[in-house]
Amino acid sequence: MSVREDTIGYILSNIHDFPSIHTLEFTVIDDGQTIPPPPYDPPKSHNHGPTYLTRLWIISRSGDSLLNMLEICRERSIQVDDVGGITYTSSSSSLVSAVLARASKTWPDITQLSYMDKDRGYKRQYNRSTLEPCIITPSLLIHLLTLRNLTSLDLQPFGPFILDPTFLDRLAASCPLLKHCVFSTDKRFPHIKTGEPQWGLRFTDALRFAGKLPHLRILGIASDARRPPTPSATDKQTQEIAVCPTLEELHIGVSSIDDVSYVEDLMRRSVPNLITLWWQYSANLNMRTELRMSEGERDIWQEVERNLGLLVY
């Protein structure tokens, strides 16, 4: 349903009066209103226990309003299995972290968690300076490590992710039931001097992560899939990859690549049952060239896709 923010606040604050509701999906009408704080002293005649929802999805104008709604859920002991938030602004990394922290603390037993910023940069110019406040690093995702029952994690904020192997190891150990794990893969973050993409992960790191999750079917992580500069480094990384027989979809987005045979060999051995490879060549003219995949890289990923007989999208 499409409602004003204050109406959502009212519904959530009084959800105990609607015990037959199990799914709520709201789209906020942006009229400049804000959600009033939840009542702190409910009537004594209303001695409610927790309310359980199967699914709560809120499409809102900003991360701040999402935080307000999550606070109402915490105050009113609303328990949720599947929670998602979508905003129409490019949230800062600290705000994204705050939303994830609030959700993790409010619902430590959730199985599905999603967050997306709808501002994909098509309506304005953006570059390194506008992306910098939105970069998502492992320290901002630490609260995810408490969600032991998580089976689906889909995080697509406006800013790019710069992850590292240590965080992926911790995530795999903390959330072993993951079947769907996607971090937004649609843009790069260039080095301030060289303009080269800054990657915290190599492609082999992503494949090792997949191999540690026995139920994983869908993975989305952008990384550096270029061949290492020395033969010894290539041999070492090739030997360290793990096999993930359950993986069916791999979203590599704007991952760097320079060698068909290197990546093809890794994928044949690591993800033998892969069906779909998703890469992204952006036609967004507002996006600076260094933030997106080059035409040459696009052609290489296409060749990998053809050689492996994968579905084309």
Side-chain angles (χ1 to χ4, degrees):
M1 67 179 75
S2 298
V3 293
R4 293 188 348 177
E5 278 196 40
D6 54 353
T7 303
I8 295 179
Y10 176 81
I11 293 172
L12 290 175
S13 294
N14 295 277
I15 193 66
H16 297 294
D17 296 329
F18 305 95
S20 62
I21 293 179
H22 300 289
T23 298
L24 284 175
E25 297 185 15
F26 293 115
T27 299
V28 175
I29 298 174
D30 185 5
D31 62 356
Q33 299 294 320
T34 57
I35 299 177
Y40 292 101
D41 297 310
K44 294 182 180 180
S45 59
H46 291 187
N47 186 21
H48 297 294
T51 293
Y52 294 93
L53 295 175
T54 303
R55 177 181 173 91
L56 174 63
W57 273 67
I58 301 172
I59 302 176
S60 180
R61 59 186 174 141
S62 70
D64 287 316
S65 57
L66 278 179
L67 282 174
N68 289 337
M69 288 179 256
L70 293 178
E71 179 61 18
I72 290 175
C73 291
R74 187 190 68 81
E75 292 283 347
R76 304 299 290 168
S77 299
I78 300 172
Q79 300 300 309
V80 178
D81 187 50
D82 174 358
V83 61
I86 299 176
T87 76
Y88 285 98
T89 57
S90 53
S91 301
S92 68
S93 56
S94 59
L95 186 54
V96 174
S97 179
V99 170
L100 296 179
R102 184 76 54 87
S104 300
K105 291 179 179 178
T106 304
W107 300 298
D109 296 320
I110 58 172
T111 61
Q112 301 182 64
L113 175 61
S114 302
Y115 177 91
M116 176 184 291
D117 288 334
K118 278 287 190 180
D119 180 358
R120 312 311 289 175
Y122 284 86
K123 296 182 180 179
R124 62 184 175 88
Q125 291 280 345
Y126 65 89
N127 49 37
R128 188 184 191 281
S129 62
T130 57
L131 283 177
E132 193 161 13
C134 303
I135 295 174
I136 308 296
T137 58
S139 62
L140 302 175
L141 303 173
I142 197 71
H143 298 283
L144 298 177
L145 303 179
T146 64
L147 303 178
R148 303 287 301 179
N149 296 325
L150 206 60
T151 62
S152 178
L153 177 65
D154 198 322
L155 303 181
Q156 301 191 47
F158 174 75
F161 283 87
I162 300 182
L163 304 178
D164 59 48
T166 299
F167 172 75
L168 292 187
D169 287 344
R170 296 183 66 188
L171 183 62
S174 300
C175 306
L177 303 179
L178 278 172
K179 300 177 181 178
H180 177 119
C181 182
V182 173
F183 300 96
S184 59
T185 62
D186 67 326
K187 62 179 69 69
R188 301 171 172 179
F189 187 69
H191 190 279
I192 190 170
K193 293 182 179 179
T194 66
E196 285 289 305
Q198 293 184 230
W199 298 115
L201 296 170
R202 293 202 56 83
F203 189 49
T204 47
D205 296 323
L207 295 177
R208 273 197 302 274
F209 172 64
K212 293 180 179 180
L213 294 168
H215 309 289
L216 192 65
R217 293 182 56 251
I218 300 173
L219 174 64
I221 297 181
S223 63
D224 187 354
R226 292 172 294 185
R227 181 185 287 273
T230 64
S232 60
T234 300
D235 293 341
K236 183 176 185 297
Q237 292 191 8
T238 301
Q239 292 168 2
E240 290 177 349
I241 66 168
V243 178
C244 183
T246 60
L247 197 69
E248 298 176 355
E249 287 188 23
L250 179 59
H251 300 237
I252 52 90
V254 294
S255 295
S256 296
I257 188 171
D258 62 1
D259 190 301
V260 173
S261 61
Y262 171 66
V263 172
E264 185 181 332
D265 177 62
L266 289 176
M267 293 179 64
R268 285 189 186 280
R269 292 190 291 121
S270 182
V271 286
N273 297 313
L274 193 69
I275 297 173
T276 306
L277 179 68
W278 295 79
W279 48 268
Q280 182 169 345
Y281 176 73
S282 178
N284 180 359
L285 298 180
N286 289 329
M287 183 184 291
R288 293 286 296 272
T289 303
E290 64 267 23
L291 303 180
R292 52 184 172 175
M293 182 186 293
S294 69
E295 291 185 13
E297 289 173 306
R298 175 199 62 186
D299 294 342
I300 296 174
W301 279 118
Q302 283 182 324
E303 187 171 350
V304 169
E305 198 169 43
R306 287 193 300 268
N307 291 350
L308 294 176
L310 303 176
L311 294 179
V312 178
Y313 287 92

